[in-house]
Structure formats: C-alpha cells, structure tokens
Amino acid sequence: MTQIRIGQAGIPLSCKGRTNKDGIAYTHNQLDLNAIEIQFVRGLYIMADEEAAFIKNFAEENDMEIHVHAPYYINLAGEADEVEMSFEKIMRAATMADNIGAETVIIHPGFYGENSEKKTMKLIIKNVKKITGMMKKEKIRVKLAIETMGKQKVFGTLDEVIEVCKSVKDVVPVIDLAHIHARGNGCLKERKSFEEMFDKLVPLKLKKYIIHVTGVLYEDGNEFYHLPIKKGDMPIAPVIEIILDRKYTATLISESPLLEHDAVYIKLQVEKAIMKRTGKEEAHYKDLSEIA
Ligand SMILES: [Zn+2]
C-alpha cells in the first residue's frame, strides 16, 4: 500500500537534547513525523550500544523509518588506498546503521578525477559490488543507497546512479532533488520535468522512493549551498502531486537549513494535496486511504 513518510536529516534544530536518541524521539513525539536520516557524516562516529538499542526499539514501537548518511568524503573511483578507506567508512556506517535498524546507508559515491565518465562508472560499479559483498558477508541487512550529486566534477548524475543501481543487486538510489536541479542548472521547475525524472526510475521497480528535499543555490550547473525550500526556485508541489497520482511509496527527507521546519512544511503541503483530492477540510499525511 502506498505510504508517505516525512522527516529531516539530523537532530531537529528545536530539540534540546543533542543526541540521536533525543532526535528520533522528538521527531516522533513533538513533530509527528515518521522518518529520520541519522548523520554519521563527521569522521568516525561511535554510538554506545545502549543508545543504538534505544533507537532501534523506539523506531520499531513507533513506526519510525531510519536512514543513515555515511561520511561525506568517500571515493569509490579513487586510488587503491582511497577506495580502501572508503570501504572502511562505509562498513563502519553500515554496521552502525544495522544496529539501529536503519533501512539504508546513504553514500556519495566518488569523483571522476582524471578518469573519463565511462572509466569512473566501471570503477564505481566494481567497488559498489565489492562493498555490497562485504556487507552481505557481515550479515548487514541495510541497503546501500547512492545519492544523486549536485556538482559537475562529482560522479552521480541521475542516469549514472540509475546505471549503478541496475548493475548491482540491492543498491537503491537516493533522489536528491536539489542536486538534480542544481546540476541541471535549474532543470526541475515544471511538473513535466519531474515526471521525466520519475519515468527514468521506473525500470528500477523501486518499492520506495527515498527523496532528499531542500532549496538550493546553484550556478552553471553546480550546487553552492542549501536554502530553505521557500527561498529556492524548485517547487515541491509537483513532486507531491506525482507521488499521489502514481501512488508511490515515498520517504521525503528535508535537508534544508531549516531541517524540521521544512519537514513540517512538506507535511503541510502533502496534507493540502490530500485535501484537494478528498474535498475535506482535514487530512493527515499518514492516512492515504481515501485517495488510494
Ligand atoms: Zn548526501
């Protein structure tokens, strides 16, 4: 059944406690959101067993979906030692992700460097196969997720990410809308362009669309930095409409500098879209029964 999940990347700004444990509880209890992307982005993240167990139990009991973001600097198309280091970072994040019951561990796959796009693709596919093999061997159930990237010199156009997902079993895309938009120098404005984007993903037969949402400042096909959704020039209404029209199951993660405030904004937009369909004056994003 179609389902929409909404959350933010990291501990909510308005949450007093600054641990991930505080963050997930606050996201559910105070914000009424049902997803969170936990950030293991800075260096070697250590989480105590007690905190990991709390997060896992809390998520199970309260129907929260968890994703994990691995450290930013990973290069699966680099020199041997760089790839080795990237494997270590991914394995550490994946193990942690598994401990807390996350669905995916999200990575930025790498850089072209001196290599051609084709050569880079070959290297990435080879090393993604390796790392998923290592994860399987360690009985890690978390899926590896590859993000679409927002700069020209970084591997990760939508087409490239789709190609990797087609080539390696159990690897899924993270559709970072702002990155696609920035890289295409503002390509996501009309509903039609969002439709074309989703159409490209159809062959992957995804059970769930994991989507990063934020406003973004860009120039010449390169992302500069994230903006609040309303300050950016990429609309989110078409995304919500398409998800509802196509009855997709989707998880929308706010990566805006306003984090949970924009996650709540997304939630209100989803509810507005549901109300438009039902003609009622109330809606809840978790309840799609009337429009399914
Ligand atoms: Zn990312």
Side-chain angles (χ1 to χ4, degrees), residues 68-125:
V68 159
H69 202 304
Y72 292 131
Y73 195 85
I74 278 169
N75 190 5
L76 295 178
E79 301 291 329
D81 55 337
E82 216 175 7
V83 171
E84 223 23 74
M85 241 160 56
S86 300
F87 283 163
E88 269 175 44
K89 286 183 191 168
I90 297 170
M91 282 307 283
R92 206 169 281 137
T95 305
M96 200 72 79
D98 204 42
N99 285 344
I100 61 175
E103 267 186 26
T104 68
V105 57
I106 301 167
I107 62 162
H108 298 174
F111 302 83
Y112 304 111
E114 300 296 309
N115 293 324
S116 67
E117 288 165 21
K118 215 175 139 192
K119 174 89 194 287
T120 310
M121 174 67 78
K122 263 187 135 174
L123 287 168
I124 299 259
I125 289 176

Side-chain angles (χ1 to χ4, degrees), residues 48-66:
D49 289 348
E50 181 271 330
E51 181 171 19
F54 175 93
I55 292 173
K56 189 172 188 208
N57 288 335
F58 188 91
E60 277 169 12
E61 278 166 20
N62 297 287
D63 188 34
M64 291 289 290
E65 182 175 298
I66 305 174

Side-chain angles (χ1 to χ4, degrees), residues 69 72 106 108 147 176 179 212 255:
H69 202 304
Y72 292 131
I106 301 167
H108 298 174
E147 190 176 319
D176 191 305
H179 285 166
H212 279 168
E255 280 202 328

Side-chain angles (χ1 to χ4, degrees), residues 16 31 41 125 194 245:
K16 262 197 197 155
L31 303 171
V41 295
I125 289 176
F194 285 98
D245 284 347

Side-chain angles (χ1 to χ4, degrees), residues 165 171-173 175 201-210 248-249:
C165 295
V171 175
V172 294
I175 306 146
L201 290 154
V202 168
L204 294 180
K205 299 192 175 73
L206 299 171
K207 290 197 185 83
K208 174 181 292 169
Y209 291 82
I210 306 163
Y248 283 161
T249 285

